[in-house]
Amino acid sequence: MTNDKKLIIGLFGFGVVGEGIYRVLKQTPTLQAEIKKICIRHPEKKRNAPAELFTTDAELLLNDADINVIVELIDDSDAAWEIVSASLGSGKAVVSANKKMIAAHLAELLQLQLDNNTSLLYEAAVCGSIPVIRNLEEYYDNDMLNSVSGIINGSTNYILTRMNEDGMAYDEALKLAQQLGFAESDPTLDVLGTDAANKLAIILNHAYGIVSDPADIMCKGITQLHPADSVYAREKGYSIKLVARAQRVNHTDVAAYVLPTFVGPRSQLFNVRFEFNGVIIGTRLADEQFIYGKGAGRYPTSSAVLSDIAALRYGYKYEYKKSHTGVDYQVSDNHVLRLYVSCRDINDIVQDDFISIDETYSSQDRKYITGSISFDKLRNAAWLNNPDNSVIVFENPGVAEDHQLEELV
Ligand SMILES: NC(=O)c1ccc[n+]([C@@H]2O[C@H](COP(=O)([O-])OP(=O)(O)OC[C@H]3O[C@@H](n4cnc5c(N)ncnc54)[C@H](OP(=O)(O)O)[C@@H]3O)[C@@H](O)[C@H]2O)c1
């Protein structure tokens, strides 16, 4: 797609983000992007847009040769895959915010773009308004990355902030997050860490060229956290955050996980509170850089969608440069974490699973152990899945210590 071509858009979805981008485009006439048709699911709903724009017939958009851009903003990942694959297959450019669909179909989506010489952009799928993907893709295209880590789910961060700072119980904090619109009525994907794992799968591709099955990324959400964990955190000066982390541990292996994490005050993530997101990019040359902002919401998310639509004016495509570096990075379990486990019964935890134990503590209500454990041992530990046990990793767990990267000369 080139500058001289007007963008004629077929929009799927008119919910929080879909209606947002409709309004934003109306106020951005310089972009020369026109929404020709909007496909929704429930025709009976009242819409804040002319009735003739709406249809429930997806084919009307997919088969319209005038429509050269499909903007997919629906909440059904299976239907989204049908729409996006058909659109790319017919040579239309696509903008999507659907992290679940993109993470699940990444390999096929890469191939579809190549086969049809077209573009799929999805900045809004990872941290809403924060330009994570475009930065990884363009700015850090040649600087080798040591790590990408961050708070990439706003719902859980809101809940944890309330638990950490106000001493709220998990259920109370979740209810408040739902009342304020920071958590879905069905929060399962967020609180179990699955949403963050989907986003991490996309980050892994743009940071290291890895195509991974998001189901293989180890993730633990926040449902097992116990009030005693917040007490421990406060005593030690930490804040508990749900952190997604990709970290290079040697020349080919990358550690990848989503785990509750003790974050200290020196970390940029310490002050990422409430519904905000923040991502630290650890680069070999520039050291650490930090991006912060709103990971969700109508207009923050629309801002990323708008930026992607605008990029299509100059024919922008992700080049997936990290897939062509000549290094085949892979997700690996071959690294060590420093871990805290709290439990009701200390005998539930197999202490032999640890490489070393730093501290054990026992009170009537709660016990805990801290120590070092290899990641593959942790992943396979039966006690990890006991809902009475809560597992929190210490930030910067030193995964690279055993594999110090050589200094630049
Ligand atoms: N909300 C955010 O802050 C945010 C942030 C980042 C990414 N995202 C992603 O953006 C996407 C949209 O989220 P949202 O919050 O805007 O969702 P939403 O408010 O629930 O709206 C979903 C829209 O999709 C339509 N829809 C569902 N299935 C459809 C189908 N098969 N064909 C056509 N239309 C269909 C619905 O139609 P009806 O109106 O007729 O029901 C509705 O308009 C999701 O992938 C989400 O993960 C959202």
PDB file of all heavy atoms in Angstrom, residues 176-203:
ATOM      1  N   LEU A 176     -13.379  -4.744  43.239  1.00  0.00           N
ATOM      2  CA  LEU A 176     -13.213  -3.305  43.012  1.00  0.00           C
ATOM      3  C   LEU A 176     -12.726  -3.047  41.576  1.00  0.00           C
ATOM      4  O   LEU A 176     -13.220  -2.141  40.886  1.00  0.00           O
ATOM      5  CB  LEU A 176     -12.217  -2.736  44.030  1.00  0.00           C
ATOM      6  CG  LEU A 176     -11.979  -1.231  43.992  1.00  0.00           C
ATOM      7  CD1 LEU A 176     -13.277  -0.464  44.252  1.00  0.00           C
ATOM      8  CD2 LEU A 176     -10.931  -0.831  45.020  1.00  0.00           C
ATOM      9  N   ALA A 177     -11.767  -3.873  41.125  1.00  0.00           N
ATOM     10  CA  ALA A 177     -11.247  -3.719  39.751  1.00  0.00           C
ATOM     11  C   ALA A 177     -12.377  -3.901  38.736  1.00  0.00           C
ATOM     12  O   ALA A 177     -12.454  -3.168  37.745  1.00  0.00           O
ATOM     13  CB  ALA A 177     -10.129  -4.739  39.501  1.00  0.00           C
ATOM     14  N   GLN A 178     -13.281  -4.845  39.014  1.00  0.00           N
ATOM     15  CA  GLN A 178     -14.405  -5.068  38.098  1.00  0.00           C
ATOM     16  C   GLN A 178     -15.363  -3.880  38.123  1.00  0.00           C
ATOM     17  O   GLN A 178     -15.816  -3.424  37.075  1.00  0.00           O
ATOM     18  CB  GLN A 178     -15.136  -6.371  38.465  1.00  0.00           C
ATOM     19  CG  GLN A 178     -14.326  -7.600  38.064  1.00  0.00           C
ATOM     20  CD  GLN A 178     -14.890  -8.886  38.628  1.00  0.00           C
ATOM     21  OE1 GLN A 178     -15.373  -8.923  39.764  1.00  0.00           O
ATOM     22  NE2 GLN A 178     -14.811  -9.955  37.856  1.00  0.00           N
ATOM     23  N   GLN A 179     -15.633  -3.373  39.333  1.00  0.00           N
ATOM     24  CA  GLN A 179     -16.545  -2.216  39.446  1.00  0.00           C
ATOM     25  C   GLN A 179     -16.002  -1.010  38.688  1.00  0.00           C
ATOM     26  O   GLN A 179     -16.750  -0.261  38.064  1.00  0.00           O
ATOM     27  CB  GLN A 179     -16.720  -1.811  40.915  1.00  0.00           C
ATOM     28  CG  GLN A 179     -17.707  -2.685  41.663  1.00  0.00           C
ATOM     29  CD  GLN A 179     -17.594  -2.485  43.185  1.00  0.00           C
ATOM     30  OE1 GLN A 179     -16.814  -1.681  43.675  1.00  0.00           O
ATOM     31  NE2 GLN A 179     -18.374  -3.256  43.922  1.00  0.00           N
ATOM     32  N   LEU A 180     -14.684  -0.848  38.702  1.00  0.00           N
ATOM     33  CA  LEU A 180     -14.083   0.330  38.064  1.00  0.00           C
ATOM     34  C   LEU A 180     -13.768   0.090  36.584  1.00  0.00           C
ATOM     35  O   LEU A 180     -13.236   0.962  35.914  1.00  0.00           O
ATOM     36  CB  LEU A 180     -12.791   0.713  38.809  1.00  0.00           C
ATOM     37  CG  LEU A 180     -13.005   1.189  40.249  1.00  0.00           C
ATOM     38  CD1 LEU A 180     -11.668   1.368  40.961  1.00  0.00           C
ATOM     39  CD2 LEU A 180     -13.784   2.492  40.271  1.00  0.00           C
ATOM     40  N   GLY A 181     -14.086  -1.123  36.077  1.00  0.00           N
ATOM     41  CA  GLY A 181     -13.859  -1.415  34.656  1.00  0.00           C
ATOM     42  C   GLY A 181     -12.418  -1.790  34.337  1.00  0.00           C
ATOM     43  O   GLY A 181     -12.021  -1.835  33.174  1.00  0.00           O
ATOM     44  N   PHE A 182     -11.600  -2.078  35.362  1.00  0.00           N
ATOM     45  CA  PHE A 182     -10.211  -2.470  35.102  1.00  0.00           C
ATOM     46  C   PHE A 182     -10.066  -3.980  34.963  1.00  0.00           C
ATOM     47  O   PHE A 182      -8.993  -4.476  34.650  1.00  0.00           O
ATOM     48  CB  PHE A 182      -9.273  -1.967  36.203  1.00  0.00           C
ATOM     49  CG  PHE A 182      -9.197  -0.471  36.277  1.00  0.00           C
ATOM     50  CD1 PHE A 182      -9.311   0.188  37.476  1.00  0.00           C
ATOM     51  CD2 PHE A 182      -9.020   0.281  35.118  1.00  0.00           C
ATOM     52  CE1 PHE A 182      -9.258   1.576  37.545  1.00  0.00           C
ATOM     53  CE2 PHE A 182      -8.958   1.666  35.165  1.00  0.00           C
ATOM     54  CZ  PHE A 182      -9.089   2.317  36.386  1.00  0.00           C
ATOM     55  N   ALA A 183     -11.132  -4.728  35.279  1.00  0.00           N
ATOM     56  CA  ALA A 183     -11.094  -6.188  35.088  1.00  0.00           C
ATOM     57  C   ALA A 183     -12.409  -6.623  34.456  1.00  0.00           C
ATOM     58  O   ALA A 183     -13.453  -6.007  34.687  1.00  0.00           O
ATOM     59  CB  ALA A 183     -10.886  -6.891  36.429  1.00  0.00           C
ATOM     60  N   GLU A 184     -12.330  -7.660  33.617  1.00  0.00           N
ATOM     61  CA  GLU A 184     -13.515  -8.180  32.927  1.00  0.00           C
ATOM     62  C   GLU A 184     -14.421  -8.888  33.948  1.00  0.00           C
ATOM     63  O   GLU A 184     -13.956  -9.317  35.002  1.00  0.00           O
ATOM     64  CB  GLU A 184     -13.083  -9.241  31.897  1.00  0.00           C
ATOM     65  CG  GLU A 184     -11.988  -8.799  30.978  1.00  0.00           C
ATOM     66  CD  GLU A 184     -12.508  -8.288  29.657  1.00  0.00           C
ATOM     67  OE1 GLU A 184     -13.646  -8.612  29.292  1.00  0.00           O
ATOM     68  OE2 GLU A 184     -11.772  -7.529  29.012  1.00  0.00           O
ATOM     69  N   SER A 185     -15.704  -9.079  33.559  1.00  0.00           N
ATOM     70  CA  SER A 185     -16.581  -9.841  34.451  1.00  0.00           C
ATOM     71  C   SER A 185     -16.070 -11.283  34.552  1.00  0.00           C
ATOM     72  O   SER A 185     -16.177 -11.911  35.604  1.00  0.00           O
ATOM     73  CB  SER A 185     -18.022  -9.796  33.967  1.00  0.00           C
ATOM     74  OG  SER A 185     -18.061 -10.126  32.612  1.00  0.00           O
ATOM     75  N   ASP A 186     -15.500 -11.822  33.457  1.00  0.00           N
ATOM     76  CA  ASP A 186     -14.792 -13.100  33.569  1.00  0.00           C
ATOM     77  C   ASP A 186     -13.289 -12.800  33.499  1.00  0.00           C
ATOM     78  O   ASP A 186     -12.725 -12.649  32.415  1.00  0.00           O
ATOM     79  CB  ASP A 186     -15.185 -14.054  32.436  1.00  0.00           C
ATOM     80  CG  ASP A 186     -14.390 -15.349  32.509  1.00  0.00           C
ATOM     81  OD1 ASP A 186     -13.592 -15.513  33.469  1.00  0.00           O
ATOM     82  OD2 ASP A 186     -14.544 -16.199  31.615  1.00  0.00           O
ATOM     83  N   PRO A 187     -12.634 -12.706  34.660  1.00  0.00           N
ATOM     84  CA  PRO A 187     -11.234 -12.262  34.665  1.00  0.00           C
ATOM     85  C   PRO A 187     -10.216 -13.390  34.486  1.00  0.00           C
ATOM     86  O   PRO A 187      -9.018 -13.167  34.637  1.00  0.00           O
ATOM     87  CB  PRO A 187     -11.099 -11.653  36.058  1.00  0.00           C
ATOM     88  CG  PRO A 187     -12.001 -12.493  36.905  1.00  0.00           C
ATOM     89  CD  PRO A 187     -13.124 -12.973  36.032  1.00  0.00           C
ATOM     90  N   THR A 188     -10.716 -14.614  34.162  1.00  0.00           N
ATOM     91  CA  THR A 188      -9.849 -15.799  34.204  1.00  0.00           C
ATOM     92  C   THR A 188      -8.524 -15.611  33.448  1.00  0.00           C
ATOM     93  O   THR A 188      -7.456 -15.891  33.989  1.00  0.00           O
ATOM     94  CB  THR A 188     -10.585 -17.026  33.607  1.00  0.00           C
ATOM     95  OG1 THR A 188     -11.909 -17.006  34.099  1.00  0.00           O
ATOM     96  CG2 THR A 188      -9.911 -18.317  33.988  1.00  0.00           C
ATOM     97  N   LEU A 189      -8.616 -15.149  32.191  1.00  0.00           N
ATOM     98  CA  LEU A 189      -7.393 -15.047  31.386  1.00  0.00           C
ATOM     99  C   LEU A 189      -6.377 -14.107  32.023  1.00  0.00           C
ATOM    100  O   LEU A 189      -5.171 -14.333  31.939  1.00  0.00           O
ATOM    101  CB  LEU A 189      -7.716 -14.514  29.983  1.00  0.00           C
ATOM    102  CG  LEU A 189      -8.349 -15.475  28.984  1.00  0.00           C
ATOM    103  CD1 LEU A 189      -8.545 -14.791  27.647  1.00  0.00           C
ATOM    104  CD2 LEU A 189      -7.503 -16.732  28.813  1.00  0.00           C
ATOM    105  N   ASP A 190      -6.876 -13.055  32.662  1.00  0.00           N
ATOM    106  CA  ASP A 190      -5.968 -12.089  33.292  1.00  0.00           C
ATOM    107  C   ASP A 190      -5.360 -12.659  34.562  1.00  0.00           C
ATOM    108  O   ASP A 190      -4.138 -12.683  34.716  1.00  0.00           O
ATOM    109  CB  ASP A 190      -6.733 -10.797  33.637  1.00  0.00           C
ATOM    110  CG  ASP A 190      -7.181 -10.066  32.388  1.00  0.00           C
ATOM    111  OD1 ASP A 190      -6.427 -10.057  31.408  1.00  0.00           O
ATOM    112  OD2 ASP A 190      -8.298  -9.513  32.403  1.00  0.00           O
ATOM    113  N   VAL A 191      -6.214 -13.139  35.483  1.00  0.00           N
ATOM    114  CA  VAL A 191      -5.703 -13.483  36.820  1.00  0.00           C
ATOM    115  C   VAL A 191      -4.871 -14.765  36.825  1.00  0.00           C
ATOM    116  O   VAL A 191      -4.039 -14.969  37.709  1.00  0.00           O
ATOM    117  CB  VAL A 191      -6.830 -13.566  37.879  1.00  0.00           C
ATOM    118  CG1 VAL A 191      -7.501 -12.218  38.034  1.00  0.00           C
ATOM    119  CG2 VAL A 191      -7.834 -14.656  37.580  1.00  0.00           C
ATOM    120  N   LEU A 192      -5.069 -15.618  35.814  1.00  0.00           N
ATOM    121  CA  LEU A 192      -4.226 -16.824  35.745  1.00  0.00           C
ATOM    122  C   LEU A 192      -2.909 -16.562  35.006  1.00  0.00           C
ATOM    123  O   LEU A 192      -2.070 -17.445  34.874  1.00  0.00           O
ATOM    124  CB  LEU A 192      -4.974 -17.969  35.062  1.00  0.00           C
ATOM    125  CG  LEU A 192      -6.191 -18.517  35.827  1.00  0.00           C
ATOM    126  CD1 LEU A 192      -6.799 -19.701  35.090  1.00  0.00           C
ATOM    127  CD2 LEU A 192      -5.816 -18.932  37.258  1.00  0.00           C
ATOM    128  N   GLY A 193      -2.765 -15.356  34.480  1.00  0.00           N
ATOM    129  CA  GLY A 193      -1.509 -15.017  33.796  1.00  0.00           C
ATOM    130  C   GLY A 193      -1.517 -15.374  32.319  1.00  0.00           C
ATOM    131  O   GLY A 193      -0.530 -15.120  31.607  1.00  0.00           O
ATOM    132  N   THR A 194      -2.625 -15.933  31.825  1.00  0.00           N
ATOM    133  CA  THR A 194      -2.669 -16.391  30.425  1.00  0.00           C
ATOM    134  C   THR A 194      -2.571 -15.226  29.451  1.00  0.00           C
ATOM    135  O   THR A 194      -1.896 -15.326  28.416  1.00  0.00           O
ATOM    136  CB  THR A 194      -3.988 -17.157  30.164  1.00  0.00           C
ATOM    137  OG1 THR A 194      -4.262 -17.984  31.301  1.00  0.00           O
ATOM    138  CG2 THR A 194      -3.912 -17.995  28.928  1.00  0.00           C
ATOM    139  N   ASP A 195      -3.243 -14.133  29.776  1.00  0.00           N
ATOM    140  CA  ASP A 195      -3.186 -12.959  28.894  1.00  0.00           C
ATOM    141  C   ASP A 195      -1.737 -12.459  28.776  1.00  0.00           C
ATOM    142  O   ASP A 195      -1.260 -12.160  27.675  1.00  0.00           O
ATOM    143  CB  ASP A 195      -4.102 -11.853  29.455  1.00  0.00           C
ATOM    144  CG  ASP A 195      -4.018 -10.584  28.647  1.00  0.00           C
ATOM    145  OD1 ASP A 195      -4.613 -10.538  27.552  1.00  0.00           O
ATOM    146  OD2 ASP A 195      -3.356  -9.623  29.094  1.00  0.00           O
ATOM    147  N   ALA A 196      -1.050 -12.400  29.907  1.00  0.00           N
ATOM    148  CA  ALA A 196       0.345 -11.941  29.880  1.00  0.00           C
ATOM    149  C   ALA A 196       1.214 -12.935  29.098  1.00  0.00           C
ATOM    150  O   ALA A 196       2.131 -12.527  28.368  1.00  0.00           O
ATOM    151  CB  ALA A 196       0.869 -11.771  31.302  1.00  0.00           C
ATOM    152  N   ALA A 197       0.918 -14.238  29.221  1.00  0.00           N
ATOM    153  CA  ALA A 197       1.711 -15.240  28.481  1.00  0.00           C
ATOM    154  C   ALA A 197       1.495 -15.081  26.973  1.00  0.00           C
ATOM    155  O   ALA A 197       2.434 -15.230  26.183  1.00  0.00           O
ATOM    156  CB  ALA A 197       1.338 -16.650  28.935  1.00  0.00           C
ATOM    157  N   ASN A 198       0.260 -14.768  26.562  1.00  0.00           N
ATOM    158  CA  ASN A 198       0.004 -14.530  25.136  1.00  0.00           C
ATOM    159  C   ASN A 198       0.832 -13.351  24.632  1.00  0.00           C
ATOM    160  O   ASN A 198       1.436 -13.405  23.561  1.00  0.00           O
ATOM    161  CB  ASN A 198      -1.489 -14.240  24.900  1.00  0.00           C
ATOM    162  CG  ASN A 198      -2.332 -15.499  25.011  1.00  0.00           C
ATOM    163  OD1 ASN A 198      -1.863 -16.609  24.750  1.00  0.00           O
ATOM    164  ND2 ASN A 198      -3.587 -15.343  25.410  1.00  0.00           N
ATOM    165  N   LYS A 199       0.852 -12.284  25.432  1.00  0.00           N
ATOM    166  CA  LYS A 199       1.621 -11.100  25.011  1.00  0.00           C
ATOM    167  C   LYS A 199       3.119 -11.412  25.011  1.00  0.00           C
ATOM    168  O   LYS A 199       3.857 -10.968  24.123  1.00  0.00           O
ATOM    169  CB  LYS A 199       1.337  -9.931  25.956  1.00  0.00           C
ATOM    170  CG  LYS A 199      -0.091  -9.422  25.846  1.00  0.00           C
ATOM    171  CD  LYS A 199      -0.382  -8.444  26.976  1.00  0.00           C
ATOM    172  CE  LYS A 199      -1.814  -7.989  26.968  1.00  0.00           C
ATOM    173  NZ  LYS A 199      -2.201  -7.307  28.208  1.00  0.00           N
ATOM    174  N   LEU A 200       3.562 -12.200  26.006  1.00  0.00           N
ATOM    175  CA  LEU A 200       4.989 -12.550  26.055  1.00  0.00           C
ATOM    176  C   LEU A 200       5.382 -13.377  24.834  1.00  0.00           C
ATOM    177  O   LEU A 200       6.485 -13.219  24.294  1.00  0.00           O
ATOM    178  CB  LEU A 200       5.303 -13.302  27.357  1.00  0.00           C
ATOM    179  CG  LEU A 200       6.774 -13.640  27.588  1.00  0.00           C
ATOM    180  CD1 LEU A 200       7.649 -12.384  27.644  1.00  0.00           C
ATOM    181  CD2 LEU A 200       6.957 -14.444  28.889  1.00  0.00           C
ATOM    182  N   ALA A 201       4.466 -14.237  24.373  1.00  0.00           N
ATOM    183  CA  ALA A 201       4.762 -15.047  23.171  1.00  0.00           C
ATOM    184  C   ALA A 201       5.009 -14.122  21.977  1.00  0.00           C
ATOM    185  O   ALA A 201       5.910 -14.368  21.155  1.00  0.00           O
ATOM    186  CB  ALA A 201       3.607 -16.002  22.888  1.00  0.00           C
ATOM    187  N   ILE A 202       4.242 -13.045  21.890  1.00  0.00           N
ATOM    188  CA  ILE A 202       4.425 -12.096  20.774  1.00  0.00           C
ATOM    189  C   ILE A 202       5.742 -11.332  20.959  1.00  0.00           C
ATOM    190  O   ILE A 202       6.521 -11.154  20.017  1.00  0.00           O
ATOM    191  CB  ILE A 202       3.218 -11.125  20.692  1.00  0.00           C
ATOM    192  CG1 ILE A 202       1.918 -11.921  20.452  1.00  0.00           C
ATOM    193  CG2 ILE A 202       3.430 -10.105  19.584  1.00  0.00           C
ATOM    194  CD1 ILE A 202       0.632 -11.086  20.556  1.00  0.00           C
ATOM    195  N   ILE A 203       6.020 -10.927  22.193  1.00  0.00           N
ATOM    196  CA  ILE A 203       7.283 -10.222  22.479  1.00  0.00           C
ATOM    197  C   ILE A 203       8.481 -11.104  22.134  1.00  0.00           C
ATOM    198  O   ILE A 203       9.466 -10.645  21.555  1.00  0.00           O
ATOM    199  CB  ILE A 203       7.329  -9.788  23.966  1.00  0.00           C
ATOM    200  CG1 ILE A 203       6.356  -8.629  24.199  1.00  0.00           C
ATOM    201  CG2 ILE A 203       8.739  -9.407  24.392  1.00  0.00           C
ATOM    202  CD1 ILE A 203       6.189  -8.218  25.658  1.00  0.00           C
TER     203      ILE A 203
END
